Amino acid sequence: MTTLSRSTNGRVSAAPKRHATRPAPLHGAPLPLCLLVLGVLLVVLILVAAAVGSVPVSIGDTGRIVWAHLTGATPAVDPAHDQIVWTFRIPRVLLAALCGAGLAVAGVVLQALVANPLADPFILGVSAGGSVGAVTVMALGAGAAGGLGVSGAAFVGAMLAVALVFTLGQQHGRLNPVRLVLAGVAISYVFTSITSLLQLQTTPNNMRQIMFWLLGSVAGARWEQLQVAGVVVLAVTVLLTMYARQFNALVTGDESATALGIDVKRLRIVSIVLTSLLAGVLIAVAGGIGFVGLMVPHLVRLAFGVDHRRVLPLAALVGAVYLVIVDLLCRTVDPPNELPLNILTALFGAPFFIWLMRRDRSLSHS
């Protein structure tokens, strides 16, 4: 779905073929302007989401509380509102934004690496592995996971799954994209069966907690979680964006990418390790959140084009905006009950994907 082209300075690059026949509506929009607009939209949504809840706080007071804490001043608002907004709601909204950004970036990269538009962080078994670790602690106690907490055990489980998929996905010492996908599916089924077995061993009181975690939630967000998740999402996104030109070449095929001087094997290894780290950390703190890494990359490519130098940073912001909205809906559509994130991400994601397949039967990530 891409062609090779040579620029006026003689540099060979990958140019997307689809642009020639079906240009994205915002393909020509300057990247800084797109980032600025999405960034402002994200900030506004964060303030709105932090203001909404069982105890309503005005958006103006929410903004004053956030500004006061950022500048070290004393907020001139009700102390109870200050605690509600700063201690509980802002961490939750920020964690939703981080999860949306990280999962979207991981989805963009994996779809390029395995040349499969259906790829997302969960195709490598990361979610299933993390679920085994977390459910082990919830069902059997921390002692069964070597003293690790839920987040720690989930991260270890996610990394174990990635290591197995990574090993099984190699053929003659080289990563094979098809074997990688098949290994991910197989490992996911194995870990899912283990998770189901553990659920049968637990008490009814633990079952609700387990199901809520498996379906994804940012309700338990804390500031200390944000520090680790924020650093990982920011650092990995920046590192992967530095490989954007190589991803453009990789989607033309391994041979073409190699001809352009790219070490395809090294690129795949580094990228898979980074995306696994990204997904593993987010799953550890928020559970399994599906469809974000699958849907957001396609939305961004449809709107902004397929150049990974644009898609990666824009997908991060679009993913953050999307999951902040989803989390807000989860809290407000059926008060006082709260829905797990996966219910709405699947509700929105599945119809979108069906529409996408009907729109373009030759569905391709390029």
Side-chain angles (χ1 to χ4, degrees):
M1 306 303 279
T2 57
T3 58
L4 300 181
S5 62
R6 190 178 294 276
S7 62
T8 54
N9 63 3
R11 193 167 192 171
V12 178
S13 62
K17 182 184 292 183
R18 183 174 292 183
H19 283 321
T21 57
R22 187 179 296 173
L26 297 176
H27 170 66
L31 179 60
L33 177 61
C34 296
L35 294 174
L36 177 63
V37 171
L38 286 172
V40 171
L41 175 61
L42 178 60
V43 171
V44 171
L45 282 173
I46 286 174
L47 292 177
V48 171
V52 174
S54 57
V55 178
V57 181
S58 70
I59 295 178
D61 281 352
T62 302
R64 280 187 280 274
I65 290 169
V66 173
W67 178 254
H69 281 277
L70 292 178
T71 58
T74 301
V77 298
D78 186 334
H81 288 179
D82 175 66
Q83 184 178 17
I84 290 171
V85 170
W86 188 252
T87 305
F88 299 107
R89 292 183 184 170
I90 289 294
R92 174 181 185 140
V93 177
L94 290 180
L95 183 58
L98 288 172
C99 288
L103 293 174
V105 168
V108 170
V109 174
L110 289 175
Q111 287 168 16
L113 291 181
V114 303
N116 190 326
L118 297 176
D120 77 346
F122 299 91
I123 202 170
L124 294 182
V126 180
S127 178
S131 297
V132 169
V135 174
T136 297
V137 174
M138 294 179 192
L140 306 178
L148 294 172
V150 172
S151 297
F155 180 72
V156 171
M159 292 299 102
L160 175 61
V162 170
L164 290 172
V165 173
F166 187 77
T167 302
L168 295 173
Q170 297 190 58
Q171 187 176 32
H172 306 303
R174 300 181 58 183
L175 275 179
N176 182 310
V178 176
R179 288 175 64 96
L180 196 69
V181 172
L182 294 176
V185 172
I187 292 298
S188 292
Y189 274 111
V190 171
F191 278 118
T192 300
S193 66
I194 296 174
T195 300
S196 299
L197 181 62
L198 289 170
Q199 288 179 265
L200 293 175
Q201 311 301 317
T202 191
T203 63
N205 290 335
N206 287 336
M207 184 59 74
R208 179 176 173 80
Q209 180 190 8
I210 291 173
M211 290 304 299
F212 212 81
W213 190 91
L214 290 175
L215 292 174
S217 174
V218 290
R222 302 186 303 274
W223 279 108
E224 52 267 35
Q225 291 177 321
L226 292 178
Q227 295 172 7
V228 176
V231 169
V232 171
V233 170
L234 179 62
V236 172
T237 299
V238 170
L239 288 172
L240 290 173
T241 303
M242 294 170 62
Y243 289 101
R245 191 182 297 275
Q246 285 90 329
F247 295 141
N248 282 345
L250 188 62
V251 296
T252 68
D254 286 12
E255 293 77 12
S256 299
T258 302
L260 293 173
I262 295 172
D263 187 339
V264 173
K265 180 179 179 180
R266 178 178 177 276
L267 175 62
R268 280 207 170 96
I269 292 175
V270 171
S271 301
I272 287 175
V273 170
L274 289 176
T275 52
S276 300
L277 172 65
L278 185 59
V281 167
L282 296 177
I283 290 170
V285 296
I289 304 173
F291 277 100
V292 178
L294 184 63
M295 189 176 81
V296 172
H298 288 289
L299 278 174
V300 173
R301 281 192 286 265
L302 285 171
F304 298 98
V306 298
D307 188 337
H308 286 84
R309 291 170 295 183
R310 293 168 59 85
V311 170
L312 279 166
L314 291 172
L317 285 175
V318 173
V321 167
Y322 173 65
L323 210 57
V324 168
I325 294 174
V326 169
D327 180 53
L328 178 60
L329 292 174
C330 286
R331 290 190 283 131
T332 55
V333 294
D334 184 28
N337 298 317
E338 184 174 305
L339 300 177
L341 292 171
N342 257 348
I343 290 179
L344 291 189
T345 56
L347 194 63
F348 298 149
F352 168 80
F353 215 72
I354 292 172
W355 168 80
L356 193 63
M357 287 188 293
R358 291 180 62 85
R359 177 180 179 271
D360 186 355
R361 294 185 183 279
S362 61
L363 185 65
S364 168
H365 73 282
S366 63

